[in-house]
Amino acid sequence: MQSAGIVLAVLFAVALVLMHRRDRHALRTERGKLFDACLALFEGHRVTQDAVAWPVLAGTYGGYEVHIAPLVDDVVFRKVPSLWLLVTVKRKLPIAGRVDMLARAQNTEFYSPADGLPVRIATPHEWPRQMTIKADRPAAELPFAALDPHVRAFFADPRAKEMLVTREGVRIVYQAHGADRSEYLVLRRAVFRDARLPAALVGSLLDQAVQVCAAVMKGGVHGQA
């Protein structure tokens, strides 16, 4: 009887291991489909995925080197988690420093460099009121004139979260998906069902970031036309 119990225990343990592996494989496969619908946008691309993490894309778009990374934000308790999309266009820009524009700041944006920037800049009257602007130098040394139409257009979308402009390029942050509300409220699990990135959305975000780069390039060192 004792040996039979041991055999059952071993079989149960093996079954649990197999189920765990199956679930991890299914999760990795499901998350790995995130970029499938938009790969044709790129002249070249490389998608990497560690274990069951969300995949990351590096590629070339319109001649620009780009990087797209999803990021799960489940820091705020009782708030349904978001799947943010960090879209970066890499380009050497003639900007004196770095400036970060963050919408609806809650002091929980761990992905944002805003807290490390020492200068708080007043939000221009025409820009969204719920915006925090931080930089590493005074406003007079930054290309706000060149950025103005692009900032207003991007943040007109309620899912737009952040725009960061530096000497190395432009990064924008956008809410791609919200977690399943019922599952999060009951089980506290951030589940994003059928998370896919439409080509139209990814193309629009990349175009906006490229246009910001072009505006800063045209504006010169201080962003003046």
Side-chain angles (χ1 to χ4, degrees):
M1 293 294 293
Q2 184 177 6
S3 61
I6 293 175
V7 171
L8 287 174
V10 171
L11 290 175
F12 181 69
V14 170
L16 287 178
V17 170
L18 292 176
M19 290 173 60
H20 176 68
R21 289 180 177 176
R22 180 199 63 191
D23 291 345
R24 283 178 62 85
H25 177 73
L27 180 60
R28 174 184 171 84
T29 300
E30 179 63 23
R31 289 181 172 179
K33 298 175 182 178
L34 183 69
F35 293 108
D36 284 1
C38 63
L39 295 179
L41 293 171
F42 303 94
E43 291 102 60
H45 67 269
R46 182 168 62 92
V47 177
T48 57
Q49 185 178 15
D50 294 331
V52 296
W54 290 93
V56 174
L57 184 147
T60 306
Y61 178 83
Y64 289 84
E65 182 181 352
V66 301
H67 185 269
I68 306 177
L71 183 148
V72 175
D73 180 4
D74 55 2
V75 173
V76 180
F77 186 66
R78 292 185 178 178
K79 180 181 178 182
V80 176
S82 291
L83 182 66
W84 298 110
L85 205 60
L86 279 61
V87 179
T88 303
V89 171
K90 300 179 181 180
R91 174 69 186 266
K92 294 296 182 183
L93 298 177
I95 179 174
R98 53 173 25 201
V99 56
D100 182 82
M101 291 143 284
L102 182 66
R104 304 171 300 280
Q106 299 181 22
N107 297 319
T108 58
E109 290 85 4
F110 58 91
Y111 49 83
S112 172
D115 283 347
L117 297 173
V119 181
R120 175 72 179 266
I121 295 174
T123 304
H125 178 71
E126 299 83 2
W127 290 12
R129 293 294 87 199
Q130 294 181 315
M131 177 183 288
T132 302
I133 305 176
K134 300 290 292 294
D136 61 358
R137 61 199 61 231
E141 299 178 28
L142 295 166
F144 284 111
L147 293 175
D148 176 69
H150 305 285
V151 170
R152 285 193 278 173
F154 178 60
F155 287 101
D157 187 331
R159 290 194 171 194
K161 181 64 175 175
E162 183 178 38
M163 180 184 291
L164 173 67
V165 183
T166 74
R167 297 182 184 91
E168 290 74 40
V170 173
R171 188 189 79 179
I172 57 179
V173 180
Y174 186 88
Q175 186 189 34
H177 290 280
D180 184 277
R181 182 177 180 84
S182 58
E183 185 141 5
Y184 180 73
L185 293 178
V186 175
L187 301 176
R188 293 300 175 196
R189 294 198 312 171
V191 176
F192 301 89
R193 301 193 185 282
D194 300 319
R196 304 288 188 276
L197 296 177
L201 171 63
V202 174
S204 173
L205 295 175
L206 287 167
D207 286 342
Q208 289 181 79
V210 166
Q211 289 164 12
V212 173
C213 287
V216 175
M217 290 293 295
K218 182 180 179 181
V221 174
H222 298 294
Q224 300 300 320

